[in-house]
Amino acid sequence: MHSRTADTDPADTQDGPHTAAPWWTTAVVYQVYPRSFADSNGDGVGDLGGVRGKLGYLAELGVDAIWLSPVYPSPQHDNGYDIRDYQDIDPVFGSLAEFDLLLAEAHELGIKIVMDLVVNHTSDEHPWFVESRSSIDNPKRDWYWWRRPGAAGAEPNGWGSAFSGPAWTLDETTGEYYLHLFATQQPDLNWENPEVRQAVYSMMNWWLDRGVDGFRMDVINFIAKQVELVSGPAAATGGGSPMGAQIHEYLQEMHRAVFAGRTGEHLTVGEMPGVSIQDAVLFTDSARAEVDMIFQFEHVSLDQGTHKFDPLPRSLVPLKQSLARWQVGLAETGWNSLYLNNHDQPRLVSRFGNDTEFRYESATLWALVLHLHRGTPYIYQGEEIGMTNVTFDTIDHYRDIESLNHYREAVEQFDQSPASVLAGVHAMGRDNARTPMQWDDSAHAGFSTGTPWLAANPNFPRINVATDRAAARSVFAFYQRLIELRHTDPVVALGAFELIEPDHEHLYAFTRILDGVTLLVLANVSDAPLTVQGEWLPDDISGAELLLGNYPGDGSAALRPWEARLYRL
């Protein structure tokens, strides 16, 4: 139903069609964070049964694929991103048999299933690591990064963990340090070892043979390390990205071993913190056979000060200029992924919009703006009804390891005010995205009949799927229309992008052009009316076709607060 193929190449813009574009140029992906999506058995944790029960909802929304966050067996130190077994389902989520049912039922509805691939690191309970740490001469010792202590027992280098503290932990059994760029329970795999790579490729083939439709690859650029720095002195690291140049070799090898020669439509998207546009062109150039698209982080790092939990005031100009640079940079070669929300980011309507007075307007404005960029849009669960950030009273209500470690370190080690640290968690913490999906106004937002693993946002009686879908102004209905446009209008999928008024502090405007057809997006990113003027604007847009807007009526020269319009000129 959704696996349509466009008639033009993604590298085409104004020159007209000549070859078939990949299916994902007209696709929209929906991310499900299973733990928080829907609980089918009342244990307080979302599960595969819950996802199966909502497939009809997702089909009605119109999405083409589900990106399923990890459901593998895990000790859950990082909510499933610490994997104990790559080829099974954690009992808290269900079973392989139930996964197969989910896969079959999704496919019947024309929806693909994309698995989360987490192979930079495993759980420290994975059999590979249990063997590796058992002795220095174990055959799997070299499957992970082990180094002897430095002078006076110091860590091998000065790298820090993304979750606070050093990236090295001393193992008492063998007297050596192991590397973990994330939690201490997430040791990094050593991709320099070909046995590691072949084991990963074998696992990926196992899932594809089972019927899955591709992979979202967690921090995949980190699998290649700057080997000379791993055991180098602290001064040599500089605190920069650990990514090594071997990454292209690894991804091309992965493609040959896993995807080359396979029939069907698969999707590969690599999460790649710290990469440049030039890097992205190489990664997503179809001729190089690496990945279809990447998640980059430039635009979601602009409102961070000295660290992630130091939020800066919203500023439109750097945000739209950043997104535009990526549009231009990947216009001729490669492809963009489009997102403002995911399981690691605050809710977009709270972060980039006004989640009180203009919640509907700002939620739909950002939906229109994002989906009218060139690339594949990703919707994060709850985004399609305008879910907001949560403000829990104390740190005790939070569950995210990153937020908890940051709070403890800032308060206990650096003597910062608990209230100020908590304010940073309120604004930027990952649990903002992980509170249970708000289905209705019943207990726990209709997520579970039991006590949820993480409390629902207290605003669920007002903001929920049932209420939104019954409303005259429905965020869900607005997303439906955007998805339909991408499926049916070649300009939305493939048109050339040009930013208008890049320095305007409140106007987000751009055109998309293909085969002489022009679409114009006008968006007022502010709480006040905005008069739209400029040499680039037709003298009278009243004669243009208004394809979509988030206010009633056909509009006028003045944009109302958080108003967004899409015209066909």
Side-chain angles (χ1 to χ4, degrees):
M1 156 173 140
H2 300 304
S3 300
R4 47 180 66 77
T5 301
D7 297 324
T8 53
D9 189 276
D12 293 336
T13 53
Q14 302 173 40
D15 299 328
H18 59 83
T19 55
W23 66 273
W24 34 259
T25 58
T26 59
V28 177
V29 182
Y30 186 98
Q31 183 188 358
V32 168
Y33 193 72
R35 170 174 288 271
S36 299
F37 190 60
D39 174 19
S40 67
N41 62 6
D43 66 356
V45 179
D47 48 39
L48 295 180
V51 180
R52 289 176 59 207
K54 302 298 184 181
L55 285 175
Y57 168 83
L58 297 176
E60 201 170 345
L61 183 59
V63 300
D64 303 270
I66 295 169
W67 154 23
L68 198 65
S69 288
V71 289
Y72 313 97
S74 166
Q76 301 293 330
H77 291 289
D78 186 23
N79 284 358
Y81 283 87
D82 49 323
I83 297 172
R84 182 194 291 127
D85 183 352
Y86 285 115
Q87 293 180 214
D88 203 352
I89 300 296
D90 196 302
V92 75
F93 297 122
S95 65
L96 272 174
E98 188 153 34
F99 177 85
D100 290 340
L101 286 174
L102 170 64
L103 198 60
E105 291 165 1
H107 287 170
E108 286 177 9
L109 293 170
I111 299 174
K112 302 180 188 301
I113 299 289
V114 175
M115 296 290 281
D116 219 316
L117 183 78
V118 188
V119 290
N120 173 71
H121 47 264
T122 68
S123 164
D124 61 355
E125 296 182 18
H126 195 292
W128 297 345
F129 189 70
V130 172
E131 283 193 52
S132 183
R133 77 187 313 175
S134 65
S135 69
I136 60 173
D137 56 1
N138 184 276
K140 284 192 169 59
R141 184 66 169 182
D142 194 39
W143 282 44
Y144 295 83
W145 294 98
W146 292 96
R147 291 294 183 270
R148 294 188 182 93
E155 292 98 11
N157 68 24
W159 283 351
S161 161
F163 294 162
S164 302
W168 295 92
T169 290
L170 182 65
D171 180 66
E172 299 295 342
T173 302
T174 59
E176 291 188 343
Y177 283 93
Y178 66 87
L179 176 67
H180 54 89
L181 294 179
F182 296 89
T184 56
Q185 300 91 352
Q186 293 171 294
D188 279 35
L189 284 165
N190 178 10
W191 275 67
E192 293 285 303
N193 187 330
E195 292 180 0
V196 169
R197 303 200 300 273
Q198 293 308 313
V200 169
Y201 305 154
S202 176
M203 173 268 291
M204 293 173 69
N205 276 306
W206 185 85
W207 282 108
L208 291 176
D209 291 345
R210 204 169 194 98
V212 304
D213 302 291
F215 300 97
R216 175 267 185 187
M217 304 174 181
D218 188 67
V219 292
I220 196 66
N221 57 319
F222 287 3
I223 64 174
K225 306 290 194 289
Q226 297 182 60
V227 181
E228 69 278 10
L229 299 184
V230 171
S231 53
T237 68
S241 169
M243 186 177 79
Q246 322 91 300
I247 183 61
H248 298 290
E249 173 191 337
Y250 294 162
L251 291 177
Q252 290 169 12
E253 181 184 67
M254 176 188 290
H255 187 274
R256 292 192 301 270
V258 178
F259 296 100
R262 278 192 180 271
T263 57
E265 298 173 334
H266 300 100
L267 178 66
T268 55
V269 53
E271 182 195 36
M272 298 190 178
V275 297
S276 66
I277 293 173
Q278 292 72 27
D279 292 327
V281 169
L282 296 177
F283 285 124
T284 64
D285 180 354
S286 59
R288 294 173 58 87
E290 296 186 19
V291 294
D292 296 325
M293 64 194 79
I294 70 164
F295 287 132
Q296 54 90 9
F297 288 76
E298 180 182 299
H299 65 298
V300 292
S301 303
L302 297 170
D303 58 352
Q304 299 172 9
T306 56
H307 55 80
K308 171 179 175 173
F309 294 96
D310 176 26
L312 301 176
R314 182 183 66 238
S315 180
L316 177 63
V317 172
L319 176 62
K320 65 181 179 180
Q321 291 184 357
S322 170
L323 290 171
R325 279 196 301 274
W326 283 83
Q327 290 284 294
V328 172
L330 274 66
E332 299 300 325
T333 302
W335 193 251
N336 276 290
S337 61
L338 308 172
Y339 78 98
L340 289 171
N341 259 177
N342 64 30
H343 64 293
D344 287 333
Q345 301 295 330
R347 290 284 178 181
L348 77 83
V349 70
S350 298
R351 184 179 192 178
F352 302 110
N354 179 330
D355 64 5
T356 54
E357 185 181 1
F358 297 106
R359 185 184 63 86
Y360 167 82
E361 292 84 359
S362 56
T364 49
L365 176 147
W366 281 114
L368 190 151
V369 165
L370 190 71
H371 282 241
L372 263 293
H373 280 67
R374 191 168 182 268
T376 299
Y378 288 75
I379 299 169
Y380 180 70
Q381 63 187 45
E383 177 183 329
E384 77 279 11
I385 61 166
M387 281 178 62
T388 70
N389 280 358
V390 69
T391 305
F392 290 134
D393 293 335
T394 73
I395 195 66
D396 297 334
H397 293 299
Y398 289 90
R399 298 290 177 266
D400 171 41
I401 188 173
E402 181 184 41
S403 297
L404 296 176
N405 284 356
H406 163 71
Y407 183 90
R408 183 172 57 250
E409 182 179 73
V411 172
E412 296 177 4
Q413 296 184 32
F414 297 102
D415 201 28
Q416 295 181 18
S417 155
S420 66
V421 178
L422 191 60
V425 172
H426 288 161
M428 304 301 283
R430 300 193 299 179
D431 280 340
N432 283 309
R434 299 176 182 188
T435 55
M437 180 71 178
Q438 294 163 209
W439 295 105
D440 56 42
D441 61 2
S442 65
H444 309 305
F447 162 73
S448 176
T449 57
T451 301
W453 72 277
L454 176 66
N457 191 317
N459 65 19
F460 75 83
R462 180 172 53 89
I463 302 173
N464 59 70
V465 170
T467 298
D468 182 82
R469 298 202 64 185
R473 298 192 304 162
S474 164
V475 182
F476 181 93
F478 197 88
Y479 271 83
Q480 283 181 305
R481 179 65 177 134
L482 282 171
I483 294 169
E484 180 186 14
L485 281 170
R486 178 163 291 273
H487 287 162
T488 58
D489 193 329
V491 190
V492 174
L494 299 166
F497 174 97
E498 183 176 354
L499 184 65
I500 297 167
E501 298 289 329
D503 297 318
H504 198 293
E505 294 181 358
H506 302 299
L507 177 68
Y508 202 144
F510 56 90
T511 57
R512 302 289 307 285
I513 302 174
L514 182 70
D515 294 341
V517 178
T518 298
L519 300 181
L520 171 66
V521 171
L522 299 177
N524 173 16
V525 186
S526 78
D527 293 345
L530 176 65
T531 299
V532 179
Q533 295 175 325
E535 297 178 359
W536 49 268
L537 189 67
D539 292 334
D540 182 10
I541 59 174
S542 63
E545 179 187 3
L546 181 65
L547 293 180
L548 186 60
N550 61 354
Y551 272 83
D554 57 5
S556 64
L559 291 170
R560 289 158 284 192
W562 296 96
E563 182 172 9
R565 302 179 196 161
L566 172 63
Y567 289 102
R568 189 191 305 275
L569 303 181

